[in-house]
Amino acid sequence: GNNEENITIFALYLCSGFLAWHAATECTIFGTNALSNNAVYLKKLPIPEQVFITKEAIVATYSLVISFLILCVLSIFFKHYPSWIWALLPLPLVLFQIFAFGLALFLGIINTFFKDVGHVLPIIFQIWFWLTPIVYPVSILPEVMQKLIFFNPAFYYIKAIREIFLSHQFPEIELWVSMFGWSLASPLIGYLALKRLRPEIRDCI
């Protein structure tokens, strides 16, 4: 009945947001610890630092692709059928991962100087998770929170993923601009930090 339909829609709503979030979290947290975890190689070999963070990003993206493909197949069983617009799904998913990679690059460098960053990060991501409309719709938030949500980068990617996957809609231009903006800014900041601090990294690691 109608109740079952609502449960199905909520399950797809939850999974589409959570899978994207989970992959970005994995990419950032594992990427942040990648330099300190590979200190042995960094000290002995002339490998560029970003290689280790890129590896974590690739692993997280690979598992995201698999899990999203499974979700797409499952949605057919739940009578939520694909449309041509689903071809756009990889874009916001990959852009979210690029944003996470940039974050990991920046935080990974900071983590070599301040070792606590890697330990605190999972807690920060727990808080960030509940501040992002993954489990609930934006509409239930108080008005002040609804305005503040625009400062949350994760919001744009998850909203775009859901518009494509659930609503079969082309996300509005503002969403694309925000996603591309964050996905450019994040690796750029990470790269500038790496360029600036590269000489000290191997001494501190």
Side-chain angles (χ1 to χ4, degrees):
N2 206 15
N3 210 13
E4 275 178 22
E5 268 173 44
N6 289 343
I7 291 166
T8 299
I9 289 162
F10 177 70
L12 294 174
Y13 176 88
L14 184 65
C15 290
S16 57
F18 182 75
L19 291 175
W21 170 266
H22 180 67
T25 306
E26 281 211 322
C27 176
T28 310
I29 291 174
F30 290 131
T32 298
N33 293 306
L35 298 182
S36 44
N37 288 347
N38 292 287
V40 180
Y41 304 111
L42 276 170
K43 280 178 174 167
K44 290 179 182 170
L45 303 164
I47 304 170
E49 288 81 356
Q50 61 270 33
V51 166
F52 299 104
I53 297 163
T54 307
K55 180 191 146 267
E56 297 300 343
I58 290 166
V59 170
T61 308
Y62 177 72
S63 63
L64 171 67
V65 170
I66 304 278
S67 54
F68 235 91
L69 282 172
I70 294 167
L71 179 64
C72 289
V73 172
L74 280 177
S75 71
I76 298 166
F77 288 105
F78 290 130
K79 297 185 171 61
H80 179 68
Y81 298 107
S83 69
W84 65 270
I85 202 132
W86 279 19
L88 288 174
L89 261 178
L91 264 175
L93 287 169
V94 169
L95 284 170
F96 198 6
Q97 289 299 90
I98 292 169
F99 167 74
F101 165 77
L103 209 53
L105 184 59
F106 177 73
L107 293 171
I109 292 154
I110 302 302
N111 191 44
T112 56
F113 300 99
F114 305 100
K115 300 281 184 271
D116 292 339
V117 173
H119 303 305
V120 176
L121 212 53
I123 301 158
I124 292 168
F125 267 92
Q126 278 286 306
I127 299 163
W128 192 359
F129 174 81
W130 290 108
L131 290 175
T132 307
I134 293 166
V135 179
Y136 55 84
V138 186
S139 52
I140 69 160
L141 289 171
E143 216 165 296
V144 183
M145 293 281 283
Q146 284 192 36
K147 288 193 174 77
L148 288 174
I149 204 83
F150 296 105
F151 296 101
N152 181 349
F155 165 72
Y156 299 103
Y157 301 102
I158 288 167
K159 190 174 191 304
I161 289 159
R162 284 177 170 155
E163 281 187 9
I164 296 167
F165 179 68
L166 294 174
S167 312
H168 301 293
Q169 280 177 350
F170 185 81
E172 53 267 36
I173 296 302
E174 290 93 342
L175 268 184
W176 290 108
V177 171
S178 301
M179 286 191 295
F180 275 101
W182 282 108
S183 297
L184 277 170
S186 168
L188 184 65
I189 292 165
Y191 172 72
L192 291 173
L194 178 62
K195 207 176 163 192
R196 173 85 181 75
L197 297 166
R198 181 169 259 156
E200 284 100 65
I201 289 173
R202 287 166 203 253
D203 299 331
C204 285
I205 215 153

